[in-house]
Amino acid sequence: QVQLVESGGGLVQAGGSLRLSCAVSGTMFSINAMGWYRQAPGRQRELVARITSGDSINYADSVKGRFTISRDSAKNTVYLRMNSLKPEDTAVYYCNANLSPYMGAYSIDRWGQGTQVTVSS
């Protein structure tokens, strides 16, 4: 069974920085992509940043130039470095992994439990 464990959320003042980590464990054939999504109260979950196994990266426009996604494939871990944080970045951040459970299988999505990021003004 695949599990995603997130860490690194917390409370920070506007302009500050945080780094989120997400480690994937369990039995799987491959990880195709990993990403971070966030959901603020009363809003839909939205993509923040995503990185594929080929290191193709995309960011939400609202975080470009401030957030950096990276991965350590040897550790099945993805990171999100968040700089110049704004109050509007406040949300629960969820890690996502798109993976193939075995060779030839359709890919599936797995989610972490979420970690709260709160940015005070």
Side-chain angles (χ1 to χ4, degrees), residues 21-114:
S21 301
C22 173
V24 182
S25 63
T27 302
M28 74 204 86
F29 176 69
S30 65
I31 298 175
N32 305 311
M34 295 189 71
W36 291 94
Y37 291 71
R38 67 187 180 187
Q39 187 167 18
R43 302 190 65 174
Q44 289 190 328
R45 190 174 297 189
E46 63 176 0
L47 173 70
V48 177
R50 185 174 182 266
I51 183 169
T52 70
S53 59
D55 290 328
S56 176
I57 293 174
N58 60 296
Y59 294 101
D61 288 342
S62 60
V63 308
K64 284 180 181 177
R66 300 188 298 122
F67 291 10
T68 303
I69 190 170
S70 60
R71 68 187 184 99
D72 184 334
S73 58
K75 297 181 179 179
N76 286 342
T77 299
V78 66
Y79 306 95
L80 184 69
R81 177 68 180 181
M82 304 184 292
N83 295 330
S84 302
L85 282 159
K86 304 176 181 180
E88 51 263 44
D89 294 318
T90 296
V92 178
Y93 284 68
Y94 295 92
C95 177
N96 168 269
N98 179 269
L99 55 92
S100 298
Y102 53 87
M103 185 183 293
Y106 288 107
S107 62
I108 58 175
D109 283 306
R110 288 291 181 263
W111 294 87
Q113 77 283 2

